[in-house]
Amino acid sequence: MSGPLLEVAGLRKDFVSAGRFGRGARSRVAAVSDVSFAVDAGETLALVGESGSGKTTAVRMVLRLIEPDGGTIRFDGVDWLSLPIGELNRQRRKVGVVFQDPATSLDPRMNVEQIVTEPLVIHRVGDRKERRRRAVALLSAVGIPESALERRPVEFSGGQRQRIAIARALSTAPKLLVLDEPISALDVSVRAQVLNLLADLSESSTPRPATLFVGHDLSVVAHVAHRTAVMYLGRIVEEGPTGELFRTPRHPYTALLLASQPRRSPSERRPPEGASVAGEPASAASIPPGCAFHPRCPVATARCREEVPPETGSLAAGGGPRRFACFQPLS
Amino acid sequence: MSEPLLSVRNLTVTFPAGNGAPVVDGISFDVRPGEIVALVGESGSGKSVTAFALLDLVPEPGRTTGGEIVFEGRDVRGLPPADLRKVRGGGIGLVFQEPGSALDPVRTIGVELAGVLRRHRGLSRAEARRAAVEWLRRVSLPEPERRLDDYPHRMSGGMKQRATIALALAGGPRLLVADEPTTALDVTIQAQILALLRRLRDELGLAVLLITHDLGVVAEVADRALVMYAGEIVEEAEVAELFDAPAHPYTRGLLASRPDAGGAPGARLVAIAGSVPEPGSRGAGCLFAPRCPEAVPGCLAARPSLREVAPGHRAACILAAGPGGKP
């Protein structure tokens, strides 16, 4: 098949606020505006941004948990948004999802076998014996012993529960894996285990699934994503190969995010105070005109306050396309 | 070296769940005036319970069952309720993780602040209002005069956390206990709040006990760190020393397992095996031994106690080298 596995173009979602106490003026809130990205098979794209950036809304539209107000999504050769619900549900076996908090994403009344095999039951894959065999194989791949099959989520630690959630997500051998902050809710000492597991699984699966990773911690993203798209108040402001993007950010917001990361060690030089003291994001209910970042931007001009900067593409030295939406890009 | 402002000795906190095993198991530490001390640990390490215990605020059915909490020369445990109320807010200020959880939703920030200023500082109504504006300015809340009459729901998470810090400091405490004050905030706002804590320490000579799970936050603001694991302090050192020469295998594991923004996709991290033990299932020896890559049979014989490995640097590990370099 030619072209990317997942191709999102011009995606848009407005939420309508009900006004005060359900009365008064209703207002439209642009949660996601004109978002486009593509993911190839075997590749990991990270969507990063702070709360209100629209990263979660964008991913939920890809999962069709919310319907977009505009834009197109092509997935595995089909027009994903025009699929009727019955066909969509059949095609959903091609997508696996791992959510942030395994304490709430796993059904507490199911045992581990039911949790891991439920997608197979829904998609009528195999008989009971085959499904059980598959569950044992999946659990072994994520480091959970067969003796866990009859036990319930509450009997496991957070890290083990997330392993079970990963086994479930992989049960239908999906072409696309969506990981929504998969280690943020875990204990610090088990995060590295789960990151290593995700890397192992990605390398051992054939064909390797495409992965859409939602995150906010840039050091985690550096370890998982080939490419990274940075979102700010509903738009992608910059995208490129992860290493390059972090070494030479072009958008001032990407630079601010990088400068705001805590130091790895007290002996590292602290960035100049000015780098971090730069206001707060506007609320999504009142996005500033022009470039939404301009009120916090150290290099904004009059034009930035009036026009939304278009995406500028460039071919980076290290290979791989880069783009950014800024009138005053950093060099 | 100045006298400690806070001196905790053998603090023990117990919850009936987990067979009554202590959640905080006989820990001791000091905080000196003007010092930022980080209490670092994972969930279940007992770090937040320790913070609550300092002000006799351990949630039911938990109970502080032993030890001393000496603040400015007096044991806080056993103080009459009226004196305890003066210590809360007047001697020790508290900031919690969720911005705004300490703010009353039906009172403006000005009314809240003025209340604290009148109660702890004895100011008149008009003086309190003027002083409230000054406090909002000191925590860099934009447009402080206008914000005075705002309700918490009108403020962003970062602004609420600034207001909460102003509220915690308005009573004039010498020690601020901040429990994960930036965990619920976005990273660009976290950087601002951490810079604010550093500045307040410098301007007011404030001591800060910062409870956190994030070693990046420790590197960013703390002078000294106490590493907690399963209810015990396993290592204590100046932060530069802790990061450069960690003596406990748990600290080494935590530092090594952190992903690095300079990392490459697919690169493997040095992970710590296993998970944190539950309070009821803790054995006799070193609590980290079952996960420790360096453990020897002797680790399971008895619980190691903190001992000095270098001046000002203590670790609870039988394998940690002593001051003479011998284990």
Side-chain angles (χ1 to χ4, degrees):
Chain A
M1 193 191 65
S2 64
L5 179 77
L6 173 70
E7 195 167 15
V8 171
L11 205 59
R12 206 185 83 228
K13 181 73 194 175
D14 296 336
F15 289 117
V16 176
S17 90
R20 282 202 159 180
F21 304 109
R23 290 180 303 231
R26 287 166 177 256
S27 54
R28 295 188 85 75
V29 177
V32 169
S33 305
D34 196 16
V35 160
S36 305
F37 58 82
V39 197
D40 287 329
E43 186 190 43
T44 298
L45 171 71
L47 291 181
V48 303
E50 301 182 85
S51 43
S53 64
K55 58 188 194 293
T56 300
T57 305
V59 164
R60 287 180 169 225
M61 287 192 277
V62 171
L63 296 170
R64 277 192 69 179
L65 295 174
I66 32 184
E67 294 294 323
D69 293 320
T72 57
I73 298 176
R74 275 193 84 73
F75 173 57
D76 199 26
V78 303
D79 180 353
W80 191 242
L81 292 179
S82 68
L83 288 179
I85 190 73
E87 182 56 23
L88 173 70
N89 283 342
R90 272 188 293 282
Q91 299 261 356
R92 272 194 164 132
R93 62 178 291 183
K94 294 180 186 166
V95 185
V97 194
V98 177
F99 293 102
Q100 177 168 348
D101 188 356
T104 52
S105 69
L106 302 181
D107 188 332
R109 293 163 305 177
M110 288 186 172
N111 68 30
V112 170
E113 181 180 1
Q114 289 167 322
I115 287 168
V116 175
T117 59
E118 189 184 35
L120 300 171
V121 173
I122 289 169
H123 294 292
R124 298 198 180 86
V125 180
D127 60 26
R128 207 189 151 88
K129 247 174 88 183
E130 285 163 7
R131 289 198 290 262
R132 190 180 177 108
R133 244 197 329 268
R134 174 113 181 111
V136 171
L138 284 162
L139 288 171
S140 138
V142 299
I144 299 284
E146 187 175 343
S147 59
L149 283 175
E150 311 293 333
R151 293 161 65 194
R152 281 166 215 282
V154 67
E155 299 176 59
F156 296 90
S157 69
Q160 290 171 318
R161 281 184 214 161
Q162 200 61 312
R163 289 169 185 271
I164 294 164
I166 291 166
R168 174 186 164 98
L170 294 173
S171 63
T172 56
K175 291 187 170 185
L176 174 68
L177 198 54
V178 173
L179 306 174
D180 187 358
E181 303 261 16
I183 64 161
S184 303
L186 304 181
D187 271 333
V188 182
S189 72
V190 302
R191 287 181 184 178
Q193 291 173 17
V194 174
L195 278 184
N196 285 348
L197 172 67
L198 288 169
D200 290 341
L201 292 172
S202 158
E203 277 173 24
S204 61
S205 311
T206 43
R208 286 168 66 173
T211 304
L212 196 52
F213 187 98
V214 180
H216 69 281
D217 185 335
L218 299 188
S219 56
V220 171
V221 165
H223 274 270
V224 298
H226 304 100
R227 282 187 303 120
T228 295
V230 180
M231 292 189 70
Y232 189 74
L233 288 177
R235 290 175 189 272
I236 292 178
V237 295
E238 182 164 12
E239 191 205 321
T242 306
E244 242 180 74
L245 190 82
F246 287 4
R247 276 191 300 275
T248 55
R250 303 298 307 276
H251 197 288
Y253 176 64
T254 312
L256 173 67
L257 263 189
L258 285 161
S260 302
Q261 299 295 311
R263 293 174 293 166
R264 275 185 75 72
S265 145
S267 55
E268 271 175 37
R269 206 167 53 87
R270 188 172 284 157
E273 203 76 346
S276 62
V277 184
E280 299 195 12
S283 125
S286 57
I287 294 177
C291 171
F293 185 61
H294 83 252
R296 303 174 77 189
C297 183
V299 294
T301 63
R303 190 182 182 194
C304 304
R305 292 189 273 277
E306 284 154 19
E307 287 174 51
V308 176
E311 280 177 4
T312 312
S314 70
L315 221 56
R322 277 188 77 165
R323 58 178 169 140
F324 50 86
C326 179
F327 292 123
Q328 301 283 328
L330 309 170
S331 49
Chain B
M1 190 166 291
S2 53
E3 278 290 293
L5 180 67
L6 173 75
S7 200
V8 173
R9 291 292 172 272
N10 300 314
L11 178 68
T12 304
V13 182
T14 309
F15 281 74
N19 309 328
V23 173
V24 174
D25 198 357
I27 67 168
S28 302
F29 63 92
D30 292 339
V31 179
R32 291 186 283 271
E35 188 183 33
I36 302 184
V37 178
L39 195 54
V40 202
E42 305 180 68
S43 52
S45 64
K47 61 188 191 303
S48 292
V49 173
T50 300
F52 287 125
L54 297 182
L55 287 171
D56 196 22
L57 293 171
V58 175
E60 291 284 333
R63 245 163 28 88
T64 302
T65 46
E68 290 176 13
I69 300 163
V70 179
F71 178 71
E72 295 184 326
R74 283 196 304 174
D75 192 347
V76 175
R77 291 189 70 206
L79 277 186
D83 290 357
L84 186 61
R85 273 198 298 276
K86 272 184 211 145
V87 173
R88 289 179 186 154
I92 304 178
L94 265 178
V95 171
F96 297 103
Q97 172 170 348
E98 202 47 57
S101 63
L103 301 176
D104 187 333
V106 298
R107 292 214 233 167
T108 66
I109 183 63
V111 168
E112 289 247 43
L113 265 172
V116 172
L117 288 160
R118 297 181 69 190
R119 193 157 56 246
H120 284 290
R121 303 264 176 121
L123 301 186
S124 73
R125 199 175 288 270
E127 286 167 342
R129 196 171 159 89
R130 270 195 302 278
V133 175
E134 210 35 60
W135 273 107
L136 292 182
R137 184 165 312 164
R138 199 168 273 160
V139 298
S140 307
L141 196 77
E143 305 174 83
E145 287 89 356
R146 209 174 60 100
R147 287 290 165 201
L148 214 51
D149 298 316
D150 262 354
Y151 290 92
H153 76 269
R154 305 265 302 163
M155 292 190 258
S156 70
M159 292 198 289
K160 275 190 251 185
Q161 204 59 307
R162 287 179 195 277
T164 306
I165 291 170
L167 202 58
L169 296 181
R174 273 74 68 201
L175 173 66
L176 181 71
V177 176
D179 186 10
E180 302 267 10
T182 60
T183 303
L185 303 176
D186 281 322
V187 66
T188 61
I189 310 303
Q190 163 169 290
Q192 297 172 5
I193 296 290
L194 294 178
L196 173 66
L197 287 178
R198 276 197 305 267
R199 181 162 64 72
L200 290 170
R201 184 270 296 273
D202 295 345
E203 286 176 9
L204 306 172
L206 186 72
V208 181
L209 182 64
L210 179 74
I211 319 292
T212 184
H213 70 280
D214 188 339
L215 286 166
V217 168
V218 177
E220 206 57 49
V221 293
D223 302 314
R224 208 151 54 82
L226 313 163
V227 181
M228 281 190 84
Y229 185 76
E232 298 182 347
I233 292 174
V234 296
E235 185 159 8
E236 171 183 357
E238 305 279 327
V239 286
E241 168 115 355
L242 188 82
F243 280 73
D244 291 345
H248 197 285
Y250 174 61
T251 314
R252 277 202 290 278
L254 279 184
L255 286 167
S257 71
R258 295 181 301 158
D260 180 354
R268 299 302 190 272
L269 296 163
V270 184
I272 304 175
S275 53
V276 182
E278 300 287 331
S281 62
R282 293 169 185 170
C286 169
L287 296 173
F288 185 63
R291 305 177 71 187
C292 182
E294 299 162 42
V296 296
C299 295
L300 296 170
R303 190 74 48 87
S305 53
L306 274 176
R307 56 192 191 129
E308 193 158 81
V309 293
H313 186 172
R314 300 190 298 158
C317 174
I318 60 168
L319 299 171
K326 59 181 191 304

